[in-house]
Structures are given as structure tokens and as C-alpha cells.
Amino acid sequence: MKETDLIIMDLRQFLMCLSLCTAFALSKPTEKKDRVHHEPQLSDKVHNDAQSFDYDHDAFLGAEEAKTFDQLTPEESKERLGKIVSKIDGDKDGFVTVDELKAWIKFAQKRWIYEDVERQWKGHDLNEDGLVSWEEYKNATYGYVLDDPDPDDGFNYKQMMVRDERRFKMADKDGDLIATKEEFTAFLHPEEYDYMKDIVVQETMEDIDKNADGFIDLEEYIGDMYSHDGNADEPEWVKTEREQFVEFRDKNRDGKMDKEETKDWILPSDYDHAEAEARHLVYESDQNKDGKLTKEEIVDKYDLFVGSQATDFGEALVRHDEF
């Protein structure tokens, strides 16, 4: 087998896996597939400041980064926290507002998304100009498979490419078919951006709407989550989902979900944990009660934000790269 054939086969397998893991994923007969995009909890710790600030540490830094601060002395924690504050102060006016703190918390909680974008960016910015054009993405992702009009696996890569192009154009705010890193992030993770939510709904409806009438009826809704696979008896959770569809999903009781009803289902308006935590941190640290924080106010309450290890470990102290 030629080397190019191996490359084509590997790329096909990657694209098939990517597609199956997202839009076209199928459930096991008794396993529920969840299409709903919920805002994650900021921490699995109990939020009780009277006992500990562990929840606040996880929220402010992310759970993994919070662990690294536990190995630092108070002095090291304060020094590193001061550097973080400079990053949070987006407009560089010397103050951290609730909105800036909220944005930072969301960033800290979703750092894995930005790490994923960084990995993919390197493979798609082919000319290394700090931008990714649609042509670059198309060539890097589909270049080989599109040369074969009749792939052995029978998968419609051209259809997948058309869908990707539509999403790319939606993410590309200025319409030049060249994505900045922020636009590329919106393309790869559209559920994280308000202006991309319509494309998330559209793609979901296309996946589930098997008769292509522009709606999701009850059987399409259940069929996306559950395959009978020869079993006559449905699990209890399937019966519950049927009731959910009739009582809550289909708001106008016409027997099907339209675009707005689908949006309410997969993109619910969750409680904003990040904003609640940002307001909590400001309230607890704002010494002069002006509604915003200085670096000094934050560092004075360093134990609320980041914590530290009070014991001096000396040479055994674990030291980490700058945050």
C-alpha cells in the first residue's frame, strides 16, 4: 500500500471518528445520549467559606491550577496572584470589576478549550501568519479525501465539508473567510459563543430531523437518544423522556419542536455560576465598598482567592512555571 493511501485512510478514520463523536454519535440501546449544553459547576467542593475557601480556589483558578498553589508559601502565592490580577484587569485602569472577574473565572474553567484550540491551530495555520483561512482549514482537513469521489467507507465527506464551511462563515465575523484565533475558537466550540448558538441549533436539528421537515417530532427526539435494537420494552428513562417531550419540550403542543423550542432544550438558560462567584469575591474583598477591587485588596485576601501552604518546605517545595 502506498504512503499516500495510508495517509488518506488515517485521515478518513480521523474524520469519521470526529463526526461520530459529535453530531452523528449513536447511543447504546440502554444508554442515554445528552445533547444539552449545560454550564459546568465551578467546583465539586462545598461552597462554605466558614469551613474552607476550596470552592473559591477552584472557581478562580480551575481545579488543577488550584492544586499548584497549595504547594506554595504565602509569599509566593501573593506574588503569583499579583501577576494574575494584572491579566484580569483587561482595560488596565488599576481596578478589577465584577465583569472582568467573571470573564476570568469563565476562562479559568474552560482552559481546556483554549488548549484544544492551540493544538489544532498549529496544524491548520499552514503559512504561519497567525490566521487560519478557510482554504487552509479545508486543505489540512479534507485535502486528500476529496480527491477520491467514491471513498471505500461510504462516508459523505463533501457533505461534512459543506457543513464545516457554513459554520466557519458564521464564526468569521468580518466575512473575509480568514479566522483569527478567537473566530477559530468559535468555529471549533460554537456552543461557547452567543453569536454561534443558531448554528448549534441548526446542526442539531439537521442531525435529528430524519424526515427533513424542519421540525423534531417525538419519535425523532427519542430515536436520537435511544435505539430499540430489537428490544420491545423501553427503559424507564426513555418513558420519562417521552413525558418530558410532551409536557416541557413541545411548548405549543403541536407534536413537534421548532427552532426556538429546540434551542430552549439544548441551550438552556442556566444559573450563571461564574457571575455569582465573581460577585461573592468582590463582596468579600472590597474593603472600601466601591464595587471594584484593587490589586492590594485582592492580595490582602489572597487566602480567599488562591490559598497557599503555610509550611516552609525549603528545597523540597514544589515550584511551577509562571501561571
Side-chain angles (χ1 to χ4, degrees):
M1 185 177 286
K2 297 179 181 179
E3 182 179 357
T4 54
D5 293 334
L6 288 171
I7 293 173
I8 292 172
M9 182 177 294
D10 289 343
L11 185 53
R12 282 179 184 157
Q13 290 172 345
F14 166 75
L15 289 172
M16 179 66 82
C17 178
L18 177 65
S19 181
L20 289 175
C21 288
T22 52
F24 301 104
L26 296 176
S27 303
K28 295 178 181 178
T30 59
E31 186 177 88
K32 182 180 178 181
K33 179 173 67 178
D34 192 3
R35 287 188 178 271
V36 182
H37 300 278
H38 288 291
E39 282 290 322
Q41 294 286 336
L42 302 184
S43 173
D44 58 6
K45 310 285 189 358
V46 176
H47 195 183
N48 185 348
D49 286 357
Q51 294 183 356
S52 77
F53 296 131
D54 289 346
Y55 179 98
D56 301 299
H57 300 166
D58 286 358
F60 182 71
L61 295 167
E64 291 304 313
E65 187 66 21
K67 293 176 184 177
T68 70
F69 275 79
D70 290 339
Q71 307 301 316
L72 303 179
T73 65
E75 291 71 24
E76 288 173 316
S77 286
K78 291 178 182 179
E79 180 182 359
R80 192 176 296 187
L81 176 59
K83 294 177 180 178
I84 294 175
V85 173
S86 298
K87 295 179 181 179
I88 300 174
D89 180 16
D91 58 10
K92 306 304 178 187
D93 66 349
F95 298 96
V96 170
T97 64
V98 169
D99 286 341
E100 287 173 329
L101 199 49
K102 173 184 172 181
W104 170 263
I105 291 170
K106 284 184 176 291
F107 169 79
Q109 294 298 315
K110 296 176 179 177
R111 190 177 286 111
W112 67 272
I113 290 176
Y114 299 101
E115 291 172 350
D116 173 56
V117 171
E118 285 297 331
R119 285 192 298 269
Q120 297 207 45
W121 185 264
K122 295 174 183 176
H124 291 97
D125 182 14
L126 302 181
N127 63 5
E128 299 182 348
D129 65 346
L131 300 165
V132 172
S133 69
W134 167 247
E135 286 300 314
E136 283 180 309
Y137 180 83
K138 181 177 70 173
N139 291 334
T141 307
Y142 297 102
Y144 288 104
V145 296
L146 293 178
D147 292 335
D148 185 354
D150 188 25
D152 295 335
D153 54 32
F155 190 75
N156 193 334
Y157 293 102
K158 288 189 177 180
Q159 186 180 48
M160 187 175 173
M161 186 186 73
V162 169
R163 181 166 162 146
D164 271 357
E165 183 176 12
R166 182 182 63 192
R167 187 196 284 191
F168 193 98
K169 288 179 177 178
M170 179 71 76
D172 175 31
K173 285 186 170 182
D174 58 10
D176 61 358
L177 287 179
I178 299 174
T180 62
K181 189 165 289 186
E182 185 71 10
E183 290 170 334
F184 193 62
T185 304
F187 167 68
L188 293 176
H189 299 277
E191 70 283 352
E192 301 296 333
Y193 291 80
D194 286 340
Y195 81 98
M196 294 293 289
K197 287 184 177 180
D198 283 346
I199 202 75
V200 175
V201 174
Q202 184 176 357
E203 290 178 0
T204 302
M205 294 190 74
E206 288 172 352
D207 293 342
I208 303 175
D209 177 21
K210 301 305 181 186
N211 63 9
D213 66 348
F215 299 92
I216 298 174
D217 61 37
L218 176 57
E219 293 311 313
E220 289 170 332
Y221 174 79
I222 295 298
D224 180 63
M225 302 178 183
Y226 171 75
S227 172
H228 284 274
D229 199 30
N231 296 327
D233 296 329
E234 291 181 341
E236 281 301 316
W237 70 261
V238 176
K239 296 176 184 178
T240 300
E241 281 297 337
R242 288 185 181 277
E243 296 171 0
Q244 290 283 320
F245 182 94
V246 173
E247 296 178 16
F248 301 106
R249 310 280 184 243
D250 177 20
K251 298 183 187 302
N252 61 8
R253 301 292 194 272
D254 65 352
K256 54 194 176 184
M257 288 195 296
D258 58 23
K259 181 179 177 181
E260 286 305 312
E261 290 168 329
T262 302
K263 184 176 182 178
D264 289 342
W265 166 43
I266 66 171
L267 297 168
S269 301
D270 288 336
Y271 175 73
D272 195 330
H273 297 280
E275 180 168 357
E277 177 64 11
R279 292 186 179 281
H280 167 68
L281 292 174
V282 169
Y283 177 81
E284 294 294 335
S285 309
D286 185 14
Q287 296 175 14
N288 62 4
K289 303 303 178 185
D290 63 352
K292 52 191 176 182
L293 302 178
T294 63
K295 180 183 290 188
E296 290 72 22
E297 286 176 321
I298 292 175
V299 172
D300 281 348
K301 293 282 289 186
Y302 80 96
D303 55 336
L304 172 66
F305 286 86
V306 297
S308 71
Q309 172 54 259
T311 305
D312 183 8
F313 284 95
E315 293 301 316
L317 182 65
V318 178
R319 300 181 185 275
H320 300 270
D321 294 332
E322 289 299 329
F323 181 77

